[in-house]
Amino acid sequence: AQTVTQSQPEMSVQEAETVTLSCTYDTSENNYYLFWYKQPPSRQMILVIRQEAYKQQNATENRFSVNFQKAAKSFSLKISDSQLGDTAMYFCAFMKPISGNTPLVFGKGTRLSVIA
Amino acid sequence: DARVTQTPRDKVTEMGQEVTMRCQPILGHNTVFWYRQTMMQGLELLAYFRNRAPLDDSGMPKDRFSAEMPDATLATLKIQPSEPRDSAVYFCASGPGTGVQRETQYFGPGTRLLVL
């Protein structure tokens, strides 16, 4: 079974600074997908970024980018120019696609606080 | 702006009562998931459907939980009888299953359940 580990329960960053959230996973699969979801206090789960394992290029979405190291099974999220609205829980998630969408396996999350 | 909807948003009930949670997936999405979020266990899969057929409900306590999709626009999760340990946030998510980014899941706002 796949597992996802987020080793940082809590982190904080000054507004406008850069922060990196760590995620490692364990799988014997060669093809899979990785995701970062954001959960603000409203509790809505919001997709931040996704990465396909067979793509070597790291995904980017505006201020959010990932460092995907397939051999090391590492998938970290970098947030640049942090904003107060980035304050939230961040979850790393793994999916093994079998004929389409399949259940996500989540890490325990990292609580990020952006400080003014 | 297509989104997953869930009702009710919050529910307080007494132990032993029946609880029904409803979810309307995004139109055209063929895969629907139910996840539960607790402080202790994090986010975990309860059940999921593809084209309305149940594919995996191994995460559900079978004696008290049931999940159904009466039609393509409605998914239900029922707990009967409810117990205090069922207190959690229950998320519904849907995914397109085909096309671009078919592996992405879109979450509803969740139902926060408190069983007294």
Side-chain angles (χ1 to χ4, degrees):
Chain A
Q2 285 73 227
T3 59
V4 177
T5 301
Q6 294 179 250
S7 59
Q8 306 150 314
E10 294 187 16
M11 294 189 72
S12 62
V13 62
Q14 292 285 335
E15 197 175 7
E17 296 295 309
T18 295
V19 64
T20 299
L21 280 57
S22 301
C23 172
T24 58
Y25 57 94
D26 186 24
T27 184
S28 58
E29 301 293 328
N30 188 50
N31 187 29
Y32 47 87
Y33 291 80
L34 296 163
F35 304 83
W36 280 97
Y37 279 86
K38 169 186 177 181
Q39 186 179 39
S42 67
R43 82 171 182 244
Q44 176 72 54
M45 293 287 287
I46 302 165
L47 177 66
V48 175
I49 201 164
R50 67 194 291 274
Q51 175 80 43
E52 299 167 61
Y54 64 86
K55 288 188 176 180
Q56 293 186 341
Q57 186 174 6
N58 289 324
T60 63
E61 287 288 342
N62 301 315
R63 298 182 296 107
F64 298 88
S65 61
V66 298
N67 183 4
F68 173 48
Q69 301 288 330
K70 190 173 184 179
K73 297 181 183 177
S74 171
F75 182 61
S76 61
L77 174 69
K78 185 172 81 170
I79 307 174
S80 303
D81 185 25
S82 297
Q83 301 176 359
L84 295 178
D86 296 333
T87 293
M89 283 289 291
Y90 287 82
F91 293 95
C92 179
F94 173 100
M95 177 193 292
K96 178 180 69 172
I98 305 173
S99 301
N101 222 310
T102 59
L104 293 165
V105 176
F106 288 92
K108 295 294 188 185
T110 295
R111 185 179 300 279
L112 177 66
S113 298
V114 180
I115 303 166
Chain B
D1 183 23
R3 60 183 66 189
V4 177
T5 59
Q6 288 185 248
T7 56
R9 184 159 175 81
D10 295 278
K11 175 74 174 179
V12 180
T13 190
E14 293 187 348
M15 183 173 61
Q17 296 298 305
E18 178 178 303
V19 176
T20 299
M21 291 169 268
R22 293 178 174 80
C23 166
Q24 182 172 24
I26 293 172
L27 189 65
H29 283 190
N30 72 346
T31 314
V32 176
F33 304 84
W34 284 103
Y35 294 96
R36 177 169 63 183
Q37 184 178 31
T38 62
M39 290 295 292
M40 293 298 295
Q41 301 297 326
L43 282 150
E44 53 185 355
L45 177 76
L46 293 176
Y48 83 106
F49 298 79
R50 181 170 296 137
N51 297 319
R52 296 176 56 202
L55 291 189
D56 184 355
D57 62 0
S58 58
M60 287 201 314
K62 299 293 191 306
D63 56 337
R64 299 185 300 107
F65 284 60
S66 63
E68 296 179 346
M69 281 201 73
D71 61 60
T73 65
L74 177 65
T76 63
L77 180 66
K78 292 185 180 181
I79 308 174
Q80 170 61 25
S82 58
E83 297 181 0
R85 57 178 169 159
D86 301 329
S87 297
V89 178
Y90 292 81
F91 285 102
C92 175
S94 71
T98 59
V100 177
Q101 296 202 357
R102 58 185 177 275
E103 294 80 13
T104 299
Q105 293 182 19
Y106 300 86
F107 282 73
T111 293
R112 179 166 54 191
L113 174 66
L114 178 60
V115 183
L116 302 175

